[in-house]
Amino acid sequence: MTLSEITESVHVDASPDEVWAVVTDVRRHTEFAGPKSITKEIEFDGPLEVGTRWMAHEKFGPSRFDAPSEVTAIDRGHDFAWVSFPPMKEENRGAGGRAYWDYHLEPEDGGTRLSHHMRVEEPAKGALPLKAMYMVLNLPKKQREAILTTLGNVKEAAEHPHPTR
């Protein structure tokens, strides 16, 4: 069952290739998510292809944990998708629910329409506490705000690239 599903988009005054270079720079995802993101650092050494994994070092409240992600789809210049797993032992990976993420790019008016989508699936066991947390903390609203922050930061990075990147 889906706990949360959100899609937002923004027009970026940069070519799809320029936007693609930004959204596929996985190590910069924490920068784009902003200081309120629970992800504090990402370890990734590529290549960017289906099945490649990275590790996100995260902090939620006082808790610190590591959560892996795995690339699920790549269509160069158009689609980049991945799944994130909650922190669990490898043999139980996926039993704790999953978060699916993707970027979709389309040419638009001399630039790019960039969409960012997320879907959070509840865990096979222990869904009730997670559902309660989503409701009490109003997480879907915060997730939407986070996606909008990410899109704004990606837009800025693509439209005004840093000279050393």
Side-chain angles (χ1 to χ4, degrees), residues 1-86:
M1 178 170 255
T2 299
L3 288 173
S4 180
E5 187 161 15
I6 299 163
T7 302
E8 291 290 347
S9 69
V10 66
H11 176 83
V12 182
D13 288 323
S15 72
D17 284 343
E18 291 167 314
V19 176
W20 179 258
V22 174
V23 298
T24 58
D25 189 346
V26 173
R27 287 179 294 271
R28 291 184 71 191
H29 282 194
T30 57
E31 170 190 337
F32 303 138
K36 291 183 180 180
S37 172
I38 67 169
T39 304
K40 301 305 176 192
E41 181 185 357
I42 293 176
E43 286 182 40
F44 178 69
D45 292 321
L48 197 62
E49 57 190 32
V50 173
T52 301
R53 285 188 167 196
W54 66 82
M55 186 63 67
H57 302 293
E58 301 186 346
K59 183 175 187 264
F60 187 74
S63 301
R64 293 180 186 272
F65 54 92
D66 294 334
S69 291
E70 182 176 316
V71 177
T72 58
I74 293 279
D75 179 6
R76 180 154 172 62
H78 299 284
D79 293 292
F80 170 39
W82 67 98
V83 60
S84 296
F85 302 96

Side-chain angles (χ1 to χ4, degrees), residues 1 3 86 88 94-98 121-128 130-131:
M1 178 170 255
L3 288 173
M88 301 186 81
R98 297 174 185 199
E121 299 293 327
E122 69 180 42
K125 294 181 183 178
L128 193 57
L130 189 58
K131 286 179 181 179

Side-chain angles (χ1 to χ4, degrees), residues 92-149:
N92 296 325
R93 190 72 60 206
R98 297 174 185 199
Y100 295 90
W101 303 86
D102 67 76
Y103 285 110
H104 177 74
L105 294 75
E106 289 288 331
E108 178 184 74
D109 299 328
T112 305
R113 171 60 49 182
L114 174 64
S115 299
H116 193 19
H117 173 257
M118 68 156 291
R119 185 178 82 243
V120 178
E121 299 293 327
E122 69 180 42
K125 294 181 183 178
L128 193 57
L130 189 58
K131 286 179 181 179
M133 183 176 75
Y134 262 71
M135 188 170 53
V136 169
L137 298 177
N138 198 6
L139 288 182
K141 179 182 179 203
K142 292 177 182 175
Q143 290 166 329
R144 183 172 305 282
E145 291 167 357
I147 285 175
L148 290 169
T149 295

